[in-house]
Amino acid sequence: LKLHTIEPPCGSTVYVLESDDSLLFVDGGFSCYADDTFKFIESKIPDLASKDREIFITHPDLDHVGLCPYFAKVRLSGSAYDDFLAEEEGRDRYRESNPNHAPYYRISAIIAQYKPFGVDWMDVIGRRRGDDVYENIGSFHFGGHEFVAFEGNGGHVDGDTILVCEDLGLVFTGDDLINVKGSTKEQREFNTLAPYLMQSVNMDSDRARQCRLYIESEYKGYLVCPGHGPPMRI
């Protein structure tokens, strides 16, 4: 497989795994970057339109889901699905239910040109049932390899999930682990806004710390693809 990494000046890093005839996207950045993201990917993968495409999202925050409306299949955790279902039914989403996060969330939705995209084509991998830091909720195959989804404890936000391919030594961590040191100047500047305006980017900072320490302990030597910043080795 070939791994493409796209880093916009703000919003999540977008990853594309390319096999012979299909593409697996992991996370989708902000909605306002969708056209530019696809143009950039097409410059690297000229036969983009002829390949089967699906996307996995690590969690339902706005800066990770901007490409979702362009896919026939969106893979995600059950908790992430519930967040989008609340939106479709006119209820508050996770971030909106937190009075410290709601204003930033609603401003971001306007600036990023986010539009709800429904739940009909969402593919729930599985649901968290236990109390462990991470729980195996299911798996799928891509390019001849098994990818296993582990839903976290909701420290960053409910539905946060990491995606692990053991035989490739590859883990996509979403915002449970980010690469602050490797971020560009523009990314670092933007990333200072949310903690300042929201008090914290995490719903529960103690739980979020548990997730980060777990990843750093369990995936030493893996190629880590974080939610923000470039890939790195632990």
Side-chain angles (χ1 to χ4, degrees):
L1 301 180
K2 180 182 289 186
L3 174 65
H4 302 269
T5 305
I6 299 97
E7 291 186 77
C10 59
S12 75
T13 301
V14 177
Y15 300 99
V16 185
L17 277 171
E18 179 185 6
S19 72
D20 290 338
D21 57 358
S22 56
L23 303 171
L24 172 63
F25 286 63
V26 179
D27 284 339
F30 274 125
S31 302
C32 55
Y33 288 132
D35 289 343
D36 288 335
T37 300
F38 277 119
K39 286 177 183 176
F40 181 80
I41 295 171
E42 198 164 22
S43 73
K44 304 298 180 184
I45 310 175
D47 56 345
L48 174 66
S50 66
K51 290 180 179 285
D52 292 332
R53 293 179 289 177
E54 59 185 84
I55 187 169
F56 171 87
I57 58 171
T58 59
H59 61 288
D61 278 345
L62 294 180
D63 59 333
H64 289 255
V65 303
L67 298 183
C68 288
Y70 300 86
F71 289 82
K73 179 182 287 188
V74 178
R75 295 187 187 271
L76 74 178
S77 69
S79 298
Y81 172 87
D82 291 343
D83 196 27
F84 291 112
L85 182 62
E87 177 180 66
E88 187 166 83
E89 294 178 346
R91 296 180 282 115
D92 283 347
R93 295 186 59 180
Y94 295 139
R95 294 293 186 187
E96 292 177 291
S97 67
N98 185 323
N100 291 327
H101 294 186
Y104 181 82
Y105 172 89
R106 291 168 182 166
I107 291 171
S108 295
I110 294 170
I111 295 174
Q113 302 167 29
Y114 171 78
K115 293 183 176 62
F117 47 88
V119 298
D120 291 343
W121 52 79
M122 291 185 178
D123 180 18
V124 175
I125 296 173
R127 289 186 174 275
R128 178 184 172 93
R129 304 295 184 186
D131 297 321
D132 293 338
V133 177
Y134 281 102
E135 182 177 337
N136 183 333
I137 61 170
S139 64
F140 60 91
H141 284 81
F142 175 80
H145 299 275
E146 183 182 32
F147 289 80
V148 183
F150 295 86
E151 185 176 347
N153 59 20
H156 180 64
V157 70
D158 285 353
D160 53 359
T161 310
I162 63 174
L163 188 65
V164 180
C165 182
E166 185 175 349
D167 58 322
L168 292 177
L170 183 66
V171 54
F172 298 91
T173 64
D175 288 0
D176 287 357
L177 182 69
I178 63 175
N179 186 354
V180 176
K181 292 182 179 179
S183 299
T184 65
K185 178 176 179 291
E186 291 82 5
Q187 290 167 341
R188 288 194 299 271
E189 288 177 348
F190 180 80
N191 288 343
T192 62
L193 295 176
Y196 178 73
L197 296 174
M198 299 167 64
Q199 296 188 9
S200 173
V201 297
N202 299 315
M203 299 289 277
D204 186 317
S205 293
D206 288 338
R207 285 177 173 266
R209 182 173 179 273
Q210 292 175 3
C211 289
R212 177 175 57 80
L213 293 176
Y214 179 95
I215 294 170
E216 291 175 346
S217 172
E218 293 295 317
Y219 299 107
K220 291 180 180 178
Y222 275 60
L223 179 63
V224 176
C225 297
H228 297 267
M232 59 184 177
R233 297 277 181 186
I234 295 180

